[in-house]
């Protein structure tokens, strides 16, 4: 019986029927040639993907090469299994692991990437310890996989610090950018926003030294994310607008080692958040819609997760609960399918926040606590300020005001005024203090509102400023100071030029219409 031909790819391939394959293995074993054939097989694919003459490895993959690499994944798996077997050749396995890591990352096979890179690093083969370049690339890829799968954070950080030192010694600018990028993610998880910005600024310097638009796009993305997290939304917007003006060359897959920088979807979702915080809600919603449109047919699960997270987060904040509910469910599904525990956990934080915003406090608390438990168990503390704000509102909604205040104070002690959500945390604290119905706490609540308003103004965060104005106006009304309430709320509301259909602006308008002129 003839072997079937597979014509689904760019080039036709003959495939062996399983019965023929089993017979061939049996004959090889009979003649003691199975190990010889396995070595030839592993060497062939090592030389195909990591030819010895190529010199320094590059993460650049054309679309054609990427498709060919993906097609051979089962051959690579078989080659690696043999290479690290007792009769195998670990040197071949190390070379092949390094060469194939960008493909696992592109396919979002992060658990497999983690397992393979860890196995290669643990190899006693002198090839690993003597070749600084190989070891460095394994460390960066392993740290990235550990991050996405929520492995030990201390291990990831140690790997990256050593890899960065090696990259510096080798003057390998690409590897420096890769190690710094992953370090930024770790700094975020620890609340070390100053260190994250320093790393992002260094990536930008590296990109200018390389002088390549793809690296510049990547550098601008890192700077934008860092600035936005630190509450500097206007500067983040400027960087994101630069990102969107730079088009990647068609077929360039250098980004396979990071995210898919050829796709603007995630950048638009981040830009939407930067615009929304400044009060440009209609522009933000337009960018969010464009990002969803660009996601159609996306084949990169991690890129999809990052984009869906941004859209879900903004939709929850602006009161578009239907969109938030739909996209959070989609994010959970994609993250589970890719074993991206990081994104799955972040999605559950958003789900818990959405439930609390809807007034489903008990259910929201269950979801939030489960997500916090996952973070405590793994050591990755993501999105804590924002999620603790939701936790506090959920606790307050179930009458546990003291617990809510303790959670808020802990969050503010950790993050201080340096986080993008600091203004909202202070506003929430003020609202909960007022719920305690003690006259002596009114001044403390007012102080929280005033601090929150000052931070929002300093950062040009008009959206947060409106929320604070609403809280203060409601307090003034309860004190029979309606004229003051109207003046302070109108002074913020009148600065908006768009977004009047969103929940907060509608609430402000309704309140203004009910107050005396």
């Amino acid at each position: 019986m003839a072997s079937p031909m597979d014509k689904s790819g760019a080039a036709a391939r003959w495939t062996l029927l399983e019965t023929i394959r089993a017979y061939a293995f049996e004959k090889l074993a009979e003649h003691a040639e199975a190990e010889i054939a396995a070595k030839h097989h592993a060497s062939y694919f090592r030389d195909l993907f990591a030819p010895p003459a190529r010199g320094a490895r590059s993460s650049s993959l054309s679309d054609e090469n990427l498709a060919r690499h993906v097609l051979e994944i089962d051959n690579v798996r078989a080659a690696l299994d043999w290479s690290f077997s007792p009769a195998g050749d670990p040197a071949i396995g190390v070379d092949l692991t390094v060469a194939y890591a960008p493909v696992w990352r592109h396919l979002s096979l992060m658990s497999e990437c983690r397992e393979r890179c860890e196995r290669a690093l643990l190899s006693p083969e002198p090839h690993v310890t003597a070749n600084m370049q190989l070891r460095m690339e394994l460390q960066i890829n392993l740290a990235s996989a550990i991050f996405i799968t929520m492995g030990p954070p201390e291990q990831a950080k140690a790997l990256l610090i050593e890899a960065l030192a090696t990259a510096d010694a080798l003057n390998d600018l690409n590897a420096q950018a890769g190690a710094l990028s992953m370090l930024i993610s770790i700094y975020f998880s620890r609340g070390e926003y100053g260190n994250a910005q320093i790393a992002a600024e260094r990536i930008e310097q590296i990109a200018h030294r390389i002088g390549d638009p793809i690296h510049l796009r990547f550098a601008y993305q890192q700077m934008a994310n860092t600035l936005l997290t630190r509450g500097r939304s206007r500067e983040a917007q400027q960087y994101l607008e630069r990102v969107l003006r730079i088009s990647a060359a068609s077929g360039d897959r250098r980004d396979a080692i990071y995210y898919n920088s050829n796709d603007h979807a995630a950048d638009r979702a981040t830009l939407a958040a930067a615009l929304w915080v400044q009060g440009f809600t209609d522009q933000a919603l337009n960018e969010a819609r464009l990002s969803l449109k660009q996601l159609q047919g996306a084949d990169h699960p991690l890129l999809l997760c990052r984009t869906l997270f941004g859209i879900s987060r903004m939709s929850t904040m602006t009161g578009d609960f239907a969109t938030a509910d739909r996209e959070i469910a989609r994010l959970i599904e994609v993250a589970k399918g890719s074993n991206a525990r990081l994104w799955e956990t972040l999605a559950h934080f958003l789900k818990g926040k959405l439930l609390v915003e809807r007034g489903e406090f008990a259910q929201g608390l269950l979801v939030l606590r489960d997500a916090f438990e996952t973070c405590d168990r793994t050591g990755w503390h993501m999105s804590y300020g924002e999620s603790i704000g939701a936790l506090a509102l959920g606790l307050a909604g179930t009458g546990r005001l003291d617990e809510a205040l303790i959670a808020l104070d802990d969050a503010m002690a950790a993050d201080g005024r340096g986080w993008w959500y600091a203004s909202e945390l202070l506003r929430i604290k003020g609202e909960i203090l007022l719920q305690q119905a003690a006259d002596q706490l009114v001044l403390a609540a007012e102080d929280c509102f005033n601090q929150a308003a000052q931070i929002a103004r300093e950062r040009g965060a008009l959206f947060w400023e409106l929320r604070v104005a609403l809280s203060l106006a409601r307090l003034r009304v309860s004190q029979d100071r309606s004229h003051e309430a109207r003046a302070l709320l109108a002074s913020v509301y009148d600065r908006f030029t768009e977004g009047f259909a969103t929940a907060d602006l509608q609430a402000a308008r309704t309140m203004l219409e009910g107050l005396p002129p």
Side-chain angles (χ1 to χ4, degrees), residues 273-347:
L275 290 166
W276 147 67
V277 170
Q278 296 174 75
F280 301 122
T281 311
D282 287 346
Q283 295 178 54
L285 292 173
N286 183 58
E287 292 296 339
R289 282 191 290 267
L290 285 172
S291 68
L292 281 173
K293 183 178 179 180
Q294 289 183 317
L295 279 177
Q296 294 175 1
D299 62 348
H300 197 295
L302 296 184
L303 170 70
L304 190 59
C305 286
R306 191 158 63 103
T307 308
L308 291 173
F309 175 76
I311 294 166
S312 302
R313 189 187 212 181
M314 190 186 74
S315 300
T316 303
M317 294 286 191
T318 56
D320 184 0
F321 294 157
T323 298
D325 196 27
R326 182 181 67 247
E327 301 308 334
I328 289 170
R330 190 178 170 196
L331 173 56
I332 291 172
E333 181 183 2
V334 174
K336 278 186 175 179
S338 303
N339 195 29
R341 294 185 65 201
L342 167 84
W343 290 113
E344 186 180 352
T345 304
L346 287 172

Side-chain angles (χ1 to χ4, degrees), residues 382-398:
M382 303 96 57
S383 194
Y384 261 28
E386 185 177 344
S387 302
I388 287 178
L391 179 70
L393 287 172
L395 290 168
T398 54

Side-chain angles (χ1 to χ4, degrees), residues 456-485:
R457 282 193 297 271
E458 288 172 354
R459 296 178 178 176
L462 188 58
F463 183 86
W464 295 136
E465 199 176 345
L466 176 67
R467 285 201 165 177
V468 177
L470 278 164
S471 293
L472 262 173
R474 284 190 287 264
L475 175 60
R476 292 292 179 254
V477 169
S478 71
Q479 297 169 327
D480 294 325
R481 298 158 65 179
S482 296
H483 289 289
E484 289 181 45

Side-chain angles (χ1 to χ4, degrees), residues 217-235:
R217 286 199 66 209
F218 178 68
Y220 293 160
Q221 287 171 342
Q222 295 298 313
M223 280 296 297
N225 288 326
T226 305
L227 290 166
L228 185 59
T229 303
R230 299 198 73 192
R232 294 161 61 179
S233 54
R234 176 57 185 160
E235 293 171 78

Side-chain angles (χ1 to χ4, degrees), residues 129-203:
T129 53
N131 191 318
M132 295 171 65
Q133 181 86 24
L134 280 174
R135 184 173 180 80
M136 173 191 70
E137 293 185 35
L138 284 170
Q139 288 169 329
I140 294 174
N141 281 290
L142 176 56
S144 174
I146 288 172
F147 176 65
I148 294 297
T149 58
M150 293 181 73
E154 291 299 331
Q155 181 189 5
K157 185 175 182 180
L159 287 165
L160 290 168
I161 289 173
E162 184 180 338
L164 182 59
T166 303
D168 289 341
L170 296 174
N171 195 29
D172 187 329
L173 300 181
N174 289 311
Q176 289 171 18
L180 287 164
S181 171
M182 289 311 308
L183 276 171
I184 288 173
S185 299
I186 292 175
Y187 290 144
F188 277 161
S189 76
R190 294 166 170 264
E192 299 176 24
Y193 306 123
N195 286 337
Q197 185 167 338
I198 291 170
E201 289 169 351
R202 185 176 169 192
I203 291 175

Side-chain angles (χ1 to χ4, degrees), residues 363-382:
Q363 185 62 31
L365 284 174
L366 286 175
V367 176
L368 287 167
R369 287 196 183 282
D370 184 62
F372 278 119
E373 184 182 333
T374 298
C375 287
D376 291 340
R377 187 173 62 252
T378 59
W380 292 100
H381 299 159
M382 303 96 57

Side-chain angles (χ1 to χ4, degrees), residues 408-421:
L408 287 169
D409 286 341
D410 288 345
M412 286 185 282
D415 292 328
R417 296 164 65 99
W419 207 62
W420 80 292
Y421 207 69

